[in-house]
Amino acid sequence: MKIAVIGAGYVGLVQAAGLAQLGHEVIAYDIHQRRIATLKKGLSPIYEPGLEECIKRGIEGKRLFFTDRLEEAVFFAPVLFLTVGTPAKSTGEADLSAVFAVAHQIALLAEEEKMLIIKSTVPVGTGDKVEKMMREISPSFPFHVVSNPEFLRQGSALHDFLLPDRIVIGLDDGGLAPLLQEIYKGIPAPILWMDRRSAEMVKYAANVFLATKISFINMMAELCESLSADVEMVSLGMGSDRRIGPHFLKAGIGFGGSCFPKDAFALMHMAREAGVPVPMVEAMMETNDRIPDRIVHRLLSLLPIKARRITLLGLTFKPGTDDLRDSPSLKVISHLAKYPYTLRAYDPLVKEGTPHPALHSVALTSTIQEAIEGTEAILLLTEWPEFKEADWIRLRRLVSHPLFIDGRNCLDEEKMKKAGFQYIRIGKKPTLFLKTEGDPRESTDGKRGVPASRK
Ligand code: UGA
C-alpha cells in the first residue's frame, strides 16, 4: 500500500521505516530540508538503535522515499500518517499549531479522498476538530480522520513498532477498518477498535499511569529508607501480584524524557478545562520533581567535609538514547551547581562540548576513568550497560574517597562493596561504613572501608 508520513521526527521516522519494512511503499515528508537531505543519503538524524539500518534497507529496496515538498507526499498516497510534534506550551497545554497547519495544507492540496491518521499525541477532541476543519476547507472530497496513538519507547522504538502489545485505533466510521487492517497486516498484535476520542485518551492514560507507577515506587523508596526496608524487595513482592505487574516499579532518580512530563501536564490542562480535579496526577508530578533533590541531599549528607569533587555517571534520561530532554540528571546538576563543588560527568552518548545550558557547570569527560580520577563521590544517574560492565575493583583505585550512590540500583551491591566502595542504593538504608585512616587510594585489596553490619 502507498502511505505518506507527515513529519520525519522521532515518531515519524520509526513509523515510516517500520511501514517500509512491512512491505509498504512509504514517503516521509519533513519541512526541514537538511533533515530530508540527510535521510536521502540513508543517514538517521536521530540516535535510535537499528533505525539507520532500517532506513537504508527501505531506500535500497525502493520502498522508502523522502521529500521536503508536502504536495509530493499528499499526491503520493491516499493514506497519510500525521506525526508532527505537539510540544508543551508554558501552560502545559499541547501546542497543536503544527497539527492544524499541516492538516490545513493537506486539505488544500488534496485532489481525492484521503485518510489522515493522527499519531501525534493530541488532546481529546482534536481529531473531531481536524476533520471538521478539513471538510470545511475542501467539501468536495471526503476526509477521514483516525486516531492511532504511538507507544514507542526511545531506545527500543523499532522493536515496539514491529512487536507492540496492542494497536489502538480510534475511528468514527467503521467502513475504514479494512484499510487500517491492511496497513498493520504484518504485525502480530491485537487491534483495539474504539471511538476516536477514547483512542486519544488512551495515550495520555497509559503514559500518566506508567509515570504514576514510577512515582509511587519512588515514594515507597523514600519510606523504605526511613523505615529500614528495602524498596527492591517491596517492588518484587508487590510486582509479583499479576494484578500489579513488575514493570515500571524500579525506584530511581525519577522519570524524564520528552513524553511523561509533557503528557502529564497536558492531561492536567485538559482536566482543568473540563473542570475535573486530578489530584493524583498533580501529586505524582510533585513527587517526581522532589526525587532528584532528595538524592542530592543524601549525597551532601554523606560527603566528607573537605570534599570538593563530585562525579556524575550518566546524563541522558535513560540508556539507549542521547536525549537529555527533562532528564532528572539535569535537575541533579542544577541543584549541585549551587555548591562550590567541581562537577565532572561522563555519559556514553553526551560528548564534550554538547551545547546545553544545564551542562555549563559540568566538565564532560570521554571516559569513566577521567570522570572519577581523584573524585570524592560518584553519583550514578543513568543505568548504561557500560557502568554495569566496568571493572570497579580497578576503578576504585582512582578515586580519593569511595562514596558511590547508585541512583538506578543497577550495580551489583556485593561486588561494589568488595571493591571497597561505600555503596548506597536508592530505597535502602545504607549499612554503616567504617572509614579507615590514610589515603584510600593505597588500598587495592578491597579491605579498606569495610561496611559493618547494621546490627
Ligand atoms: C514512554 C512510554 O514508555 C512509551 O510507551 C510512549 O510511547 C512514550 O513515552 C511516548 O509517549 O512517546 P520513553 O519516554 O521512551 O517512553 O521512556 P520509558 O522507557 O517509558 O522511560 C521513561 C522514564 O521513566 C525514564 O526516565 C526511565 O528511567 C524512567 N523509569 C522507567 C523509571 O524510573 N523506573 C521504571 O521502572 C521505568
Side-chain angles (χ1 to χ4, degrees), residues 10-11 48 119 121 149-157 160 166 203-204 206-207 210-211 213-215 217-218 235 246-263 288 316-319 321 323 325-328 381-383 407-408:
Y10 184 81
V11 173
E48 179 61 34
K119 270 240 163 257
T121 300
E150 54 86 16
F151 304 104
L152 309 173
R153 288 163 301 171
Q154 283 183 236
S156 51
D160 292 348
R166 79 305 200 185
K203 170 68 189 190
Y204 288 102
N207 269 4
L210 290 171
K213 276 186 101 175
I214 300 170
S215 272
I217 204 67
N218 282 333
S235 177
H247 306 291
F248 282 71
L249 283 183
K250 205 162 181 341
I253 61 163
F255 59 78
S258 63
C259 305
F260 285 174
K262 172 175 89 80
D263 292 351
N288 194 55
T316 54
F317 81 98
K318 68 174 194 178
T321 172
D323 199 339
R325 281 178 292 175
D326 263 314
S327 174
L381 300 170
T382 315
E383 66 276 39
R408 296 290 186 172

Side-chain angles (χ1 to χ4, degrees), residues 173-370:
D173 175 355
L176 305 173
L179 203 54
L180 287 145
Q181 260 162 340
E182 180 67 23
I183 293 173
Y184 287 118
K185 203 167 69 185
I187 294 187
I191 297 185
L192 309 179
W193 303 99
M194 58 188 75
D195 62 281
R196 203 163 46 199
R197 284 178 170 250
S198 301
E200 288 166 340
M201 185 61 107
V202 167
K203 170 68 189 190
Y204 288 102
N207 269 4
V208 172
F209 187 77
L210 290 171
T212 304
K213 276 186 101 175
I214 300 170
S215 272
F216 181 86
I217 204 67
N218 282 333
M219 177 189 79
M220 294 309 289
E222 249 179 312
L223 264 174
C224 285
E225 279 167 25
S226 297
L227 300 175
S228 297
D230 182 344
V231 76
E232 288 176 83
M233 296 299 114
V234 174
S235 177
L236 175 70
M238 62 182 281
S240 303
D241 183 328
R242 265 183 290 177
R243 292 168 304 172
I244 298 172
H247 306 291
F248 282 71
L249 283 183
K250 205 162 181 341
I253 61 163
F255 59 78
S258 63
C259 305
F260 285 174
K262 172 175 89 80
D263 292 351
F265 284 123
L267 184 80
M268 285 192 264
H269 186 271
M270 261 191 287
R272 257 196 315 276
E273 299 263 288
V276 177
V278 285
M280 272 178 67
V281 183
E282 283 154 24
M284 175 276 278
M285 286 305 284
E286 278 164 24
T287 304
N288 194 55
D289 273 351
R290 201 158 39 81
I291 299 298
D293 285 348
R294 185 167 63 88
I295 195 169
V296 170
H297 288 135
R298 197 158 183 208
L299 169 77
L300 297 179
S301 72
L302 292 163
L303 264 182
I305 292 168
K306 288 189 180 157
R308 285 286 165 267
R309 286 153 297 192
I310 296 173
T311 297
L312 308 171
L313 294 183
L315 295 169
T316 54
F317 81 98
K318 68 174 194 178
T321 172
D322 57 359
D323 199 339
L324 288 168
R325 281 178 292 175
D326 263 314
S327 174
S329 310
L330 303 183
K331 290 188 199 158
V332 168
I333 292 173
S334 61
H335 190 149
L336 279 173
K338 294 178 194 150
Y339 298 90
Y341 296 114
T342 303
L343 302 179
R344 255 178 293 164
Y346 168 71
D347 186 289
L349 286 189
V350 183
K351 297 295 166 221
E352 289 172 76
T354 301
H356 195 290
L359 297 180
H360 286 155
S361 43
V362 191
L364 293 179
T365 70
S366 45
T367 60
I368 302 179
Q369 285 83 342
E370 249 182 276

Side-chain angles (χ1 to χ4, degrees), residues 28-33 36 40 66-70 72:
Y29 157 83
D30 201 282
I31 196 168
H32 296 108
Q33 295 176 345
I36 291 300
K40 280 183 172 171
F66 297 98
T67 181
D68 54 15
R69 290 174 47 238
L70 183 60
E72 193 182 346

